[in-house]
Amino acid sequence: MIPTIRRMCLQSLLAIAVVPSLIAANARPISEAERAAVDHALAYLSGGPDALVQRLSSTSPIRKLGDADAAKEIEVRLGPAANTKWELQTVVPALADKAAVFQIEYPSGVDEAATFELTKEGAEYKIENIRILAEESRQKPIFPPTPAEPEKKSEARFPADTVALALGLAGAAIAAAAPLARRANKGLAKLAISTATISAIGGLAVALVLSDHARIGQKHAPAVAPAAVADTFPRLAALLEIRRSIASGADVGSIAAVATRGPLCRDVAQLWRAQIDLQQMRIDSAKKTLASFPTPSTIPLVEILRGRVALFEQDESASAIAYEHAVSLGPGRDGLWSETAHALLALGYEDRSLRYLERLDRIGTRDADSYYTLAMFRAARNKEEEAEKLLETGWSLRPARRADVIGAQILWSVIRTPEAAKFMNLSEPDESVVTSPATSTRALALPLAATARVSGDYLDIAIADEQLGVPGGACLAPAGSPAVDAATWVRNENEKALHDYDRLLAVAGTAGAFTQPSLRQRITQTAIALAEHNRWPELIRLTDGLSPKSEHIPPLLFFIRATALQRVQRIVEAKQLLTAVASGRALQRRRDASALEELGELLASHDLYDDAVRMLDKAQSIKQSERVEQTVAQIQMNKRLATKYSIYTSGHFEVHYPDDVSPVSAKLIGDILEAEYKRMQVWVPTPEFRPVVVNIVWWHDFKSVLTGNEFTLGMYQGKITVPLAGIPIYPPEIVAILTHELLHAMLAQATNDQAPRWFQEGMAQRVEMVGVMRNAFNMYDDSKLLAFSLLDRVMRESPDPEMIGEGYLMSEAAIRYIEAKYGKAGLVKMIEQFRSGATTEDAIQALSGGTMAEFDRQFRQWGRSEQRVFETPIVARYDNDDELQIRVRNGPAATPAQPTAAAPTEQQRGKLGGGSLYPLKRP
């Protein structure tokens, strides 16, 4: 839930001013017709097309074909059931009692939207017809096909809908003329395309606004035209083998033979082949097929594919117009509107995208992600009450992992409200099991082989390798269906994503695969799952062949590929990839400030300073941010540190220091670091430690340029940076700053930079040789003790300083608990686990034999018995110059802890625990 790529896209929208709309935040219940459709879908998944023949209405044109032919017509429309994933979509209210739409994803990644047209016979809803995207729509498009000669504008005044139609016609006509104009005059062509875009989208905006009431709220409008009689029913059975091949991913071969079966079969076969062509990067072939259909077409799949092709080719105007045309053909359903919204967002039409998302709320969509997304928009505009209501609706429909909600950073002020705490408790060790009060109130009888589970109001049904998802469908669950918490659900989904790896490997290397939303989502989910499990070589293979020039590929995939290349020490390739992404137009055209910021930070982490500043400047041009200004200043400062400072080299450290700092001071810092490196081998064994750069800067530069605050006293970003210029003596509280950042460097090398943030910061605080450290258990009541499973996400991504402070204290306490129960050997075992690629959950399981929640409960029990400050009875000191060389040579001597007047103030150590504020970049 709240996938990372969707969250990234949202950031570019947060400054958009839109017309306020009434927030409904109420999902529409499953209608009786939709309930019957779910039952029909289950019958198909378990019994194949023959099972649906018996469920056809007496007036169905398919039934009149006879059982054998009817079964073929059903299968050719729905495809083979094996290994498919179905999900019920939400249609507009006017269709709720007349039709149901299922999004179908085949093993090949090709997608379909099948509409079950329903009619009531007695007490039962039977299937009147089944329609698919490749069939002509019965709904008249807002815009007719482009006329050969555009009509002259009339001087008369027209009603608004006529004006909308005229604008659309003008746009279409100019767009059609653009290729001719391009040959004669490039400037004229550009003007023609721009005018077409403005006219068409403007016309659609007026027309769609005018039609919103009729198409969303009208209760008595006919949903579909009367069914055709049997002798005019569109027969597609000749395409059955082609459909099976496309669904499985097999070569469809030649489709020339189907042309003899009539123009309908020919057209449908061509469109299915175009889907495969697009997936396999045969773009010219797909475009040639689509060009053979009128513009605009009355076939939804034509316009959807045109939108995807244009998106691939970075043609904003053509893609936006095609998607709008597809929407106008109906039937109104949340799946298509969601795809359109995200396509428009990628193309820069942010306000139009947001209007589609708000439409989803108005029709009562049962898709939880829509409410989470809208909650983020409302929170960005400081409308916390609306945001909380939307968040609660999404949570009740399908709860997300609390860590994922924390990761949606814009919600930080909402999730800390008392109202949000009532349904989302951040201190409980376990994820909440959310159950809908409607669960099993309208239960369906499932096929014998089926199993069901619910989460919130979401119903998931599995039949062997087939899956049917029903948002809002908990009411249909059989009594006794298990309720699953969000963490378990996500874990299961990750397992499926990892299992999908081999199948995706065959198609993911072609950029065309990303033009299909369902396949794009599968590849992205698998890549994220691989990254979360530190399976870097497999992630690299999955993303091989992807071009940074491809606009439709989520930027996240390039970012985590660069991380993967870095993890396997292919540093040069990681730099080349990031540089290519930075120089390409794709990311910049998205106007995604968040993605540009992340790219800038990744470039800076590889010392590509100029490219990094350029990306951050582009992010600033989209959305002004003080944080970005600070980051640019940091990068410029780091460039000076790398190129302008003097250098002292010790055995394991390269100390960079400004000209106004004595070389003697630089040597002293190097000697202390060498001694602390020896002392900490018992905590973090690093026998093959690679030299680390240590930047020594003045406190004024550090707080004003590098951090922008007085609480952070050190940084580790692949290099150690500390504000110790001019410090004459080094009592324990000052040495602790060096120790803290040195631990980060040692742990990064010991774990291949795979230790989670909570472990990094907890260990760094634990090894600081100071007399007294704070204990979270005597500072916070239970409601403020963050769940152990949330620590890492809080410390990596939360923008809430108070929450981050709690995370630091809980992390150190967790390290002390592990040490108390398992000894230092337990900490070394955790380090070994992280180096091998284990997640926190894996490492805790290996250490304790239990789950993270069980570990959390035992940790809290220990903590409540240890409600006192943590004390270090003996402290290594470096403020006695006479003994320094002995300690450097032999390791530090231990002396009783004693206070010192040179220690940083409590305010300086601050809420962040005195450690590094820099969040280690993790996918």
Side-chain angles (χ1 to χ4, degrees):
M1 307 299 291
I2 314 184
T4 305
I5 179 62
R6 189 170 299 184
R7 174 166 51 81
M8 289 171 60
C9 291
L10 277 172
Q11 302 305 316
S12 65
L13 287 178
L14 299 183
I16 301 298
V18 297
V19 178
S21 65
L22 178 64
I23 295 297
N26 289 312
R28 200 174 72 244
I30 297 280
S31 70
E32 282 301 309
E34 290 170 319
R35 178 182 182 276
V38 170
D39 192 43
H40 298 328
L42 288 172
Y44 185 79
L45 291 174
S46 61
D50 291 333
L52 285 197
V53 171
Q54 308 309 314
R55 293 165 177 258
L56 296 170
S57 70
S58 60
T59 58
S60 170
I62 306 177
R63 175 178 282 281
K64 296 177 181 180
L65 301 175
D67 289 358
D69 286 344
K72 293 178 181 177
E73 292 295 342
I74 290 171
E75 184 182 354
V76 79
R77 283 163 170 77
L78 300 179
N83 297 300
T84 55
K85 181 177 180 179
W86 290 43
E87 185 162 280
L88 179 70
Q89 299 195 333
T90 308
V91 294
V92 293
L95 296 180
D97 296 322
K98 301 178 177 72
V101 178
F102 292 94
Q103 183 76 18
I104 304 173
E105 181 184 332
Y106 302 111
S108 65
V110 170
D111 59 317
E112 178 66 87
T115 301
F116 284 24
E117 296 176 359
L118 304 164
T119 187
K120 196 169 187 180
E121 290 187 350
E124 297 181 351
Y125 280 92
K126 297 293 189 73
I127 300 172
E128 180 72 15
N129 199 359
I130 299 174
R131 296 184 58 80
I132 57 176
L133 293 174
E135 292 184 85
E136 189 169 9
S137 173
R138 290 173 178 168
Q139 182 170 302
K140 291 184 178 180
I142 292 177
F143 303 131
T146 305
E149 294 293 335
E151 298 179 6
K152 294 182 179 180
K153 291 183 179 180
S154 170
E155 297 296 329
R157 300 178 65 183
F158 294 103
D161 55 348
T162 306
V163 172
L165 178 60
L167 284 169
L169 286 170
I174 297 173
L180 296 176
R182 188 178 294 114
R183 297 191 189 100
N185 186 307
K186 292 185 179 179
L188 178 60
K190 186 174 182 179
L191 177 61
I193 294 171
S194 299
T195 306
T197 305
I198 295 169
S199 299
I201 293 179
L204 278 164
V206 175
L208 292 173
V209 167
L210 288 171
S211 64
D212 258 354
H213 175 75
R215 298 172 60 192
I216 296 178
Q218 187 177 359
K219 296 182 179 180
H220 304 293
V224 291
V229 295
D231 58 359
T232 60
F233 178 75
R235 304 288 294 271
L236 299 176
L239 305 179
L240 187 53
E241 290 305 317
I242 292 177
R243 171 62 107 178
R244 289 170 177 169
S245 296
I246 287 175
S248 67
D251 185 8
V252 298
S254 173
I255 63 171
V258 302
T260 61
R261 304 300 181 94
L264 175 62
C265 285
R266 178 200 62 211
D267 290 350
V268 172
Q270 286 181 333
L271 290 174
W272 289 348
R273 182 59 180 264
Q275 285 183 281
I276 293 294
D277 285 340
L278 187 55
Q279 182 189 92
Q280 298 180 0
M281 285 294 290
R282 295 190 290 265
I283 304 302
D284 289 340
S285 178
K287 288 173 64 177
K288 182 178 179 180
T289 297
L290 296 174
S292 67
F293 293 87
T295 304
S297 174
T298 56
I299 301 173
L301 185 55
V302 172
E303 297 301 332
I304 291 172
L305 293 179
R306 281 173 175 163
R308 294 173 183 177
V309 168
L311 182 62
F312 173 81
E313 294 192 323
Q314 304 176 19
D315 188 338
E316 300 101 320
S317 57
S319 186
I321 292 172
Y323 272 112
E324 296 277 16
H325 284 165
V327 168
S328 77
L329 293 172
R333 56 186 176 93
D334 58 358
L336 179 57
W337 292 359
S338 180
E339 178 179 346
T340 301
H342 286 91
L344 291 172
L345 172 59
L347 295 166
Y349 298 112
E350 293 95 344
D351 55 344
R352 194 86 186 110
S353 172
L354 183 52
R355 289 187 191 126
Y356 274 105
L357 292 172
E358 291 180 333
R359 268 174 145 192
L360 295 176
D361 176 45
R362 292 201 299 275
I363 70 167
T365 180
R366 296 181 288 264
D367 175 44
D369 277 346
S370 299
Y371 295 100
Y372 288 124
T373 299
L374 285 167
M376 287 187 263
F377 279 112
R378 295 306 168 201
R381 291 162 180 77
N382 298 316
K383 296 181 178 180
E384 290 188 357
E385 186 175 347
E386 289 184 4
E388 186 275 325
K389 184 178 181 182
L390 287 159
L391 178 61
E392 184 174 7
T393 299
W395 187 265
S396 66
L397 285 170
R398 191 175 184 184
R401 281 189 308 182
R402 293 169 297 173
D404 290 331
V405 179
I406 290 170
Q409 299 173 354
I410 200 65
L411 294 173
W412 73 274
S413 62
V414 178
I415 62 178
R416 298 286 270 185
T417 62
E419 292 77 13
K422 293 176 183 177
F423 62 87
M424 188 182 354
N425 190 325
L426 300 181
S427 65
E428 285 293 324
D430 292 290
E431 293 285 338
S432 299
V433 176
V434 179
T435 55
S436 168
T439 300
S440 303
T441 55
R442 302 160 62 196
L444 286 172
L446 300 187
L448 290 178
T451 58
R453 58 179 182 164
V454 295
S455 183
D457 210 20
Y458 189 90
L459 170 64
D460 178 73
I461 303 172
I463 305 174
D465 292 326
E466 293 73 63
Q467 185 177 2
L468 172 61
V470 188
C475 61
L476 309 182
S481 297
V484 181
D485 67 70
T488 302
W489 199 293
V490 171
R491 190 180 306 114
N492 291 344
E493 292 302 308
N494 280 342
E495 290 172 359
K496 290 179 184 177
L498 294 173
H499 183 71
D500 205 19
Y501 171 77
D502 289 333
R503 183 177 293 160
L504 292 175
L505 198 60
V507 296
T510 63
F514 291 85
T515 63
Q516 301 193 55
S518 60
L519 191 54
R520 179 172 64 235
Q521 183 178 9
R522 282 171 57 193
I523 295 170
T524 303
Q525 287 176 338
T526 298
I528 291 172
L530 289 169
E532 288 180 348
H533 289 79
N534 299 311
R535 292 167 59 169
W536 306 114
E538 290 163 282
L539 194 154
I540 291 171
R541 286 196 294 274
L542 183 70
T543 55
D544 273 341
L546 300 185
S547 170
K549 296 180 180 179
S550 298
E551 181 165 341
H552 52 282
I553 296 177
L556 174 66
L557 287 177
F558 295 120
F559 298 162
I560 61 178
R561 176 177 171 82
T563 301
L565 291 169
Q566 183 178 10
R567 290 288 192 274
V568 300
Q569 302 304 312
R570 290 163 61 176
I571 307 299
V572 173
E573 292 175 71
K575 290 183 178 182
Q576 290 172 342
L577 174 62
L578 293 171
T579 302
V581 174
S583 62
R585 298 178 59 202
L587 183 59
Q588 299 169 35
R589 288 157 64 93
R590 289 175 182 267
R591 296 187 58 79
D592 188 340
S594 177
L596 288 166
E597 288 176 34
E598 184 163 1
L599 176 58
E601 292 170 3
L602 285 169
L603 289 163
S605 72
H606 286 279
D607 297 339
L608 300 170
Y609 303 114
D610 294 337
D611 288 336
V613 170
R614 183 164 56 87
M615 289 301 101
L616 292 168
D617 285 344
K618 290 181 184 299
Q620 281 291 74
S621 69
I622 297 170
K623 179 188 174 186
Q624 288 293 311
S625 168
E626 292 183 5
R627 193 184 73 83
V628 173
E629 291 181 4
Q630 183 74 33
T631 304
V632 170
Q634 291 173 1
I635 292 171
Q636 293 170 338
M637 178 72 175
N638 286 331
K639 184 178 180 180
R640 291 197 299 274
L641 291 171
T643 58
K644 304 294 184 182
Y645 276 36
S646 300
I647 298 175
Y648 165 74
T649 302
S650 67
H652 296 95
F653 304 97
E654 186 178 285
V655 182
H656 292 225
Y657 60 97
D659 292 339
D660 48 2
V661 168
S662 166
V664 176
S665 294
K667 182 179 184 303
L668 178 60
I669 290 172
D671 290 343
I672 292 173
L673 284 167
E674 292 289 350
E676 284 292 270
Y677 168 73
K678 292 179 182 178
R679 179 179 72 83
M680 289 196 294
Q681 288 300 306
V682 67
W683 297 92
V684 186
T686 51
E688 298 179 1
F689 188 71
R690 296 184 299 276
V692 174
V693 171
V694 182
N695 295 315
I696 308 301
V697 299
W698 291 94
W699 170 245
H700 176 271
D701 291 335
F702 188 82
K703 72 174 182 177
S704 62
V705 178
L706 292 176
T707 68
N709 65 70
E710 295 189 350
F711 302 126
T712 307
L713 301 181
M715 299 171 64
Y716 176 71
Q717 299 170 299
K719 305 177 182 68
I720 294 172
T721 303
V722 286
L724 301 184
I727 299 293
I729 59 174
Y730 288 84
E733 286 77 8
I734 297 297
V735 172
I737 299 172
L738 285 169
T739 304
H740 187 109
E741 306 310 327
L742 172 57
L743 186 282
H744 283 311
M746 293 174 67
L747 199 53
Q749 292 196 24
T751 66
N752 195 27
D753 209 10
Q754 292 177 162
R757 181 75 187 279
W758 75 269
F759 191 81
Q760 282 265 3
E761 296 300 346
M763 283 287 288
Q765 292 172 101
R766 174 64 186 93
V767 299
E768 293 177 11
M769 294 298 282
V770 294
V772 174
M773 296 292 282
R774 292 172 293 172
N775 181 354
F777 287 99
N778 68 7
M779 297 179 64
Y780 301 117
D781 59 29
D782 284 351
S783 66
K784 281 294 186 75
L785 292 174
L786 291 167
F788 178 74
S789 61
L790 302 182
L791 291 181
D792 201 58
R793 202 63 174 267
V794 164
M795 298 174 70
R796 283 192 290 120
E797 298 187 35
S798 175
D800 183 347
E802 182 180 352
M803 186 181 284
I804 294 174
E806 296 162 18
Y808 267 80
L809 293 171
M810 287 292 289
S811 295
E812 182 185 357
I815 294 296
R816 289 181 180 271
Y817 166 64
I818 293 172
E819 183 184 4
K821 186 167 184 176
Y822 302 98
K824 287 186 175 64
L827 295 171
V828 172
K829 185 173 183 178
M830 293 284 285
I831 292 171
E832 292 171 349
Q833 285 290 310
F834 292 134
R835 182 173 183 83
S836 69
T839 63
T840 293
E841 187 173 16
D842 297 332
I844 292 297
Q845 174 70 33
L847 178 70
S848 69
T851 65
M852 278 204 294
E854 292 168 344
F855 174 89
D856 195 346
R857 282 189 283 271
Q858 295 168 4
F859 166 41
R860 288 168 189 256
Q861 184 178 0
W862 171 86
R864 292 187 185 98
S865 69
E866 293 285 332
Q867 291 189 0
R868 56 184 175 77
V869 295
F870 297 125
E871 297 178 342
T872 303
I874 53 176
V875 175
R877 304 190 68 93
Y878 298 91
D879 48 354
N880 184 332
D881 291 338
D882 294 337
E883 299 179 2
L884 177 60
Q885 294 305 317
I886 296 175
R887 290 196 301 274
V888 169
R889 184 171 61 253
N890 300 325
T895 58
Q898 33 185 306
T900 172
T905 66
E906 180 70 12
Q907 181 184 23
Q908 284 178 322
R909 296 199 66 83
K911 295 179 180 178
L912 301 183
S916 167
L917 183 60
Y918 179 72
L920 296 177
K921 279 294 173 188
R922 301 270 298 171

